[in-house]
């Protein structure tokens, strides 16, 4: 099991992504900024910083998955609707 002490600190994740593997499972932790929808009466909704975690079956690296994402964005986006 991946424990909190096994990953880097949250301040590090604000600056760089952290990737690794555990028993054939690959993962990536990254801090990303997401736009918030505007509140009624305001033009901009602002931004919030969130921790994004991606998990996939090895041995593929993140570069391979980026190619899959680029070639089939609509398929991947619709997959989230089924969850």
């Amino acid at each position: 099991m991946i424990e909190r002490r096994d990953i880097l600190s949250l301040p590090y994740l604000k600056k760089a992504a952290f990737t690794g593997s555990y028993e054939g499972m690959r993962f990536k932790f990254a801090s990303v900024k997401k736009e918030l929808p505007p509140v009624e009466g305001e033009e901009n909704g602002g931004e919030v910083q969130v921790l994004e975690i991606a998990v996939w079956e090895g041995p593929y690296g993140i570069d391979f998955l980026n190619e899959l994402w680029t070639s089939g964005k609509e398929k991947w986006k619709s997959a989230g609707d089924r969850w």
Side-chain angles (χ1 to χ4, degrees):
M1 178 172 20
I2 301 170
E3 300 285 337
R4 174 149 175 17
R5 68 177 184 272
D6 296 332
I7 63 171
L8 298 171
S9 66
L10 290 177
Y12 174 85
L13 291 173
K14 289 181 179 179
K15 297 177 184 178
F18 175 70
T19 60
S21 64
Y22 178 76
E23 294 185 2
M25 174 185 69
R26 304 271 306 154
F27 56 86
K28 177 183 176 183
F29 299 137
S31 178
V32 295
K33 291 184 179 180
K34 299 279 184 174
E35 289 188 27
L36 296 173
V39 179
E40 189 176 324
E42 293 184 17
E43 288 185 30
N44 297 330
E47 288 184 338
V48 64
Q49 194 164 14
V50 297
L51 180 61
E52 185 174 74
I53 301 172
V55 179
W56 64 95
E57 185 178 358
Y60 305 114
I62 195 72
D63 295 331
F64 171 78
L65 292 176
N66 282 338
E67 290 174 23
L68 286 177
W69 167 255
T70 304
S71 65
K73 282 185 182 180
E74 292 306 315
K75 179 177 73 173
W76 288 103
K77 287 181 179 179
S78 66
D81 297 337
R82 292 179 277 181
W83 290 84

